[in-house]
Amino acid sequence: MKAISNFSDYQELTQLAENDPQSFWLEMSQKLSWFQAPKIAYQGDFHQANVRWFPDGQTNITLNCLDQQMQQNKDKVAIYFEPNDPKEEAVKLTYEELSQQVQECALALKSLGVKKGDVVCLYLSMRPELLISTLACARIGAIHSVVFAGFSAKALRERIEDCHAKIVITNKTGLRGNKNLNLLATVEEATDGLNFVEKTIIYHRPQDQVQLKDRQLDYNQWVAAFAGQQCPAEKMQGDDPLFILYTSGSTGRPKGLVHSTAGYMLWAKFSFESVFQMKSEKDLFWCTADMGWITGHTYFAYGPLLNGVSQVMFEGVPNYPDASRFWQIIEKYQVSHFYTAPTAIRALEAAGDDYVKPYEMNSLKVLGTVGEPINLEAWNWYHQKVGKSRCPIVDTWWQTETGGIMISTLAGITQPIACHATLPLPGIRPILLNEKAEVQEGANAQGHLCIAQPWPGLAMSIWGDQKRFHETYFSTYPGHYFTGDGAKRDQDGNYRITGRVDDVINVSGHRIGTAEVEDAINLHPQVVESAVVGYPHPIKGQAILAFVTTLNEKQELDQEINQYITQEIGPIAKTERIIFTAHLPKTRSGKIMRRILRKIAHNEVEQIGDTSTLVNPESVEQLINQFHN
Ligand code: WTA
């Protein structure tokens, strides 16, 4: 099937996918390399939440990312690694070098007895070894579970226990701006007493020496034993799991979304190619996301490699050594396609135009955003100051669960509209439903965003909990996948995502479940109960506001409470503000009225409505006053 090169291709593919999805996706699957090509596109349905893609095909994602690339892209640079410290040496890896290093690491994993279906946890900062070990897992059919190296030991332990990882790979020190994170210490604390974790592999830079303890191995020595050797790719069924990635949900326990081998791969390849439209051999991609999140999986690790393009890998943060770092990197490497989060754009805008002005960035062709709704001011700034008003912006809407981009402008092909994700990709059927499950039609429709038809990128399950997978995504609107987002659609079919409609807060583009934060806050011995909501924040998009009742009135425990959160989850989930109160608004049955708290936090007090059914209606007035103080 041809790639999308103009608007009529887009229309044609959309039509074909709608008419006969089975044949469409089967034909699409020919874009991939297979050990054995599939005869079935998918089986199952949304009612059962049991859709399986390409179940009778056999492939391996590294066959496509690496072996396939040896034919034409052997000497092409796959990765330009830019270290946190601009003075440290930058490293290049060609496709051939990457492939070789992955195979050595794959053999090293095998030597420890890791086999197809075993789980390996990766807790590293954005260094090439993270990419290499991730691909090495895929090479031998081990399921990788990358955990963002900013999560606390407690959060890491919870994830390692949930997926029963046999091996943990980490690096001694994670460098982020002027911070040195001792990742190894976090792993040691997280795995203490977990006997099923057989080995911890430690990568370290020459300057960070490590004293190895029991069951620890030095990454460099470990892979050195296999220098120059080959490790053929394991044959995987299309619907074998490729990876687990944890994300927050509306209960306290994070969900390990499981993505499949072939469906995920096809969606990563097709969505990357269609949205970003990297056409010239000179084009260079840069996605700033960390591999600890889905964006780093699909548009750093897999999408670009599947399409044989060159890309930048960046270890650091946007404002180190100063707020021009992104623009320097774009000029240094001549980046053509740049993909980042609105929160980074807002932070860099706030730093002042002087940081961006000196950089012409003539190489830039396409700008992308992901992770949260972008506000008009930030969109304009990105368009004018970064793209110098000549680059289309692709505002890409998608989720950990969806595997890849679902609704987005296709660069140069469909029309961008500020702050709108715009149109669905071919094969994606969005639908807006109201609370009574009635379909919202016509111009200016608004409702809960659902997807009406299977597509290859959707996660297969929640690790070890198929029931929760069904309940979370397929029970609110039977027969549909429910995204948890609200959206609007204009007369031309363009979507604008309005944000989460569930108990998930999007802080700087990171999903945080309110229940997780409440659980952490409630651990403080002085706390009686708490309710957490999101509220608008000029840089973070949303920030966390906690309403807390304590044993002794007038306790100021902000710092201590945030310490609990840092310990339980990590600093990303810290509260922006805590309001201490004697009473939370409750129904007669004792339920905290979070809806009212959300209205207070959004300054929509006129929409609170009738409070007479509460046990303590006077608490509402009091909280409104406190919020404004
Ligand atoms: C939000 C990130 C508006 C949305 C890829 C979604 C967006 C959640 C956009 C998923 C966008 C993502 N416009 N909102 N372009 N992209 N979101 O799982 O609320 O980390 O449900 O995946 O981010 O976050 P996740």
Side-chain angles (χ1 to χ4, degrees), residues 294 371-373 395-400 485 497 500 506 511:
I294 191 69
E372 48 174 324
D395 177 349
T396 64
W397 174 81
W398 60 293
Q399 311 179 293
T400 304
D485 279 320
I497 311 301
R500 302 290 306 192
N506 197 325
R511 274 164 70 167

